[in-house]
Amino acid sequence: MRKAVVLLLTLGVTCIIVAALIAQSLVILQRVAAVSDVRGFVWVKQRGAAEFVALAGRERVAAGDTLRTGDGASLSLHWLDGTRMRLGPNSVVTILKCQINSMTKAETSLFRLDLGRVWIRVLKTLSNKSKFEVMTPTATAGVRGTVFSVAVDPAGKTVVSVIEGKVMVKGDHAEEAVVPGKMAQGGQVLPQLSREEDNLWSQNRSIAGPNLELREPLAGRVVAPGSLVDVRGVSEAGARVAVNGQEAPVRLQGLFNSSVTAPLKPGSFTIKVTARDRRGYVSTEEVKVAVRK
């Protein structure tokens, strides 16, 4: 009898634990990032894996994945809410956690930058229950909504610079606020960006704009004179997309499509696509199409 009672209690506790885990999995939704604009050699080490492998054609990364870029390499990650991250050359970044609580709407995004540089766009204002942090060997950068950069050199020194919003940088002994046009370095907030930092932002300021990928037409496509050319791509929710100045409606998941008429004369012409977000930031993609004789 006693064994039966113990067995029933054990079974009951097990059922409760399993039910709790299932309920939690339904409440806590994992968020994945789409990979785009891969240049050069990039490797990924998935959760539980022992070694890095070539990123190749992988289109998504998730919590637990570590990304590493080679000399002159880079890539971009973007999430459905408009958050974007660009990894610079010789960088090592781990996605520690990326999830949302469907009941409380609290979002948690944690990253670790061991080496290199990332540029990040988080224009969505996060709630007090939400957290977005980039941890380095010597500091933690936390934000609510901003455009900023974090860099770690081989000696472990951290540099944080901001062009919009505010970033709280926490070191070993203090926490400092970094606002637009300023940077934190070696535990101090400097009144302006260094020349090097300013130059890097000049080259990478496009990270502030919305995600924009032009999927059709491909560069070098040849079309007949006067024919309709399909233009397809993806942006982000809430963005306004225009193709050669004409608005193209954005559907679910940021998909858009339009068409332009090719010139009647042989040669080449340019298709220009722009995406503008609610704050006025603009991303632009162009492709040249040839008109055959």
Side-chain angles (χ1 to χ4, degrees):
M1 181 68 179
R2 182 178 296 176
K3 289 183 178 181
V5 172
V6 172
L7 181 60
L8 288 173
L9 287 174
T10 302
L11 182 60
V13 171
T14 301
C15 290
I16 291 173
I17 293 174
V18 171
L21 291 174
I22 293 175
Q24 184 181 35
S25 67
L26 294 175
V27 172
I28 305 299
L29 305 177
Q30 302 301 320
R31 302 171 64 219
V32 298
V35 177
S36 65
D37 198 23
V38 180
R39 302 179 183 181
F41 292 104
V42 179
W43 299 269
V44 61
K45 182 169 68 173
Q46 293 181 270
R47 179 193 295 273
E51 298 179 352
F52 283 92
V53 297
L55 184 68
R58 188 173 175 190
E59 297 180 348
R60 301 282 188 274
V61 292
D65 291 347
T66 298
L67 293 160
R68 177 162 61 91
T69 58
D71 291 341
S74 64
L75 78 154
S76 296
L77 306 176
H78 54 90
W79 288 262
L80 284 177
D81 66 353
T83 298
R84 297 177 63 198
M85 175 184 291
R86 177 178 297 157
L87 281 65
N90 300 310
S91 299
V92 180
V93 177
T94 300
I95 306 172
L96 299 175
K97 185 178 290 187
C98 198
Q99 62 187 37
I100 180 171
N101 187 309
S102 61
M103 293 185 64
T104 65
K105 305 304 179 184
E107 301 177 41
T108 302
S109 300
L110 304 178
F111 305 87
R112 186 179 71 239
L113 176 64
D114 294 309
L115 181 67
R117 179 182 291 269
V118 292
W119 290 268
I120 300 174
R121 170 191 192 259
V122 189
L123 292 187
K124 178 180 180 180
T125 302
L126 302 177
S127 68
N128 291 330
K129 294 181 180 180
S130 298
K131 180 186 293 187
F132 190 107
E133 291 183 348
V134 178
M135 291 171 275
T136 77
T138 56
T140 297
V143 308
R144 286 278 175 246
T146 185
V147 181
F148 69 111
S149 173
V150 182
V152 177
D153 70 10
K157 183 179 69 176
T158 298
V159 175
V160 178
S161 59
V162 179
I163 63 169
E164 180 176 329
K166 180 172 67 174
V167 176
M168 301 302 298
V169 180
K170 185 186 300 182
D172 292 335
H173 306 291
E175 185 176 40
E176 300 285 349
V178 185
V179 296
K182 296 186 178 183
M183 59 184 284
Q185 178 178 320
Q188 294 183 326
V189 177
L190 305 181
Q192 62 185 20
L193 301 181
S194 66
R195 179 176 297 179
E196 178 185 7
E197 202 71 17
D198 190 53
N199 287 337
L200 286 170
W201 268 116
S202 296
Q203 299 168 26
N204 292 277
R205 192 169 289 268
S206 61
I207 189 65
N211 176 56
L212 176 61
E213 294 178 55
L214 185 57
R215 296 178 175 176
E216 291 185 25
L218 299 177
R221 181 178 172 185
V222 179
V223 300
S227 63
L228 285 179
V229 181
D230 289 333
V231 181
R232 303 177 187 273
V234 60
S235 185
E236 65 184 44
R240 299 186 63 180
V241 174
V243 177
N244 284 359
Q246 298 297 315
E247 186 166 353
V250 180
R251 306 192 307 275
L252 293 176
Q253 299 181 336
L255 297 172
F256 66 86
N257 67 278
S258 183
S259 62
V260 297
T261 302
L264 295 176
K265 294 182 178 181
S268 65
F269 69 103
T270 300
I271 296 176
K272 181 178 180 180
V273 181
T274 60
R276 182 184 298 272
D277 66 17
R278 295 184 180 91
R279 297 197 182 189
Y281 286 108
V282 177
S283 296
T284 303
E285 290 285 344
E286 294 184 353
V287 60
K288 285 191 174 181
V289 178
V291 180
R292 64 171 177 260
K293 295 181 180 180

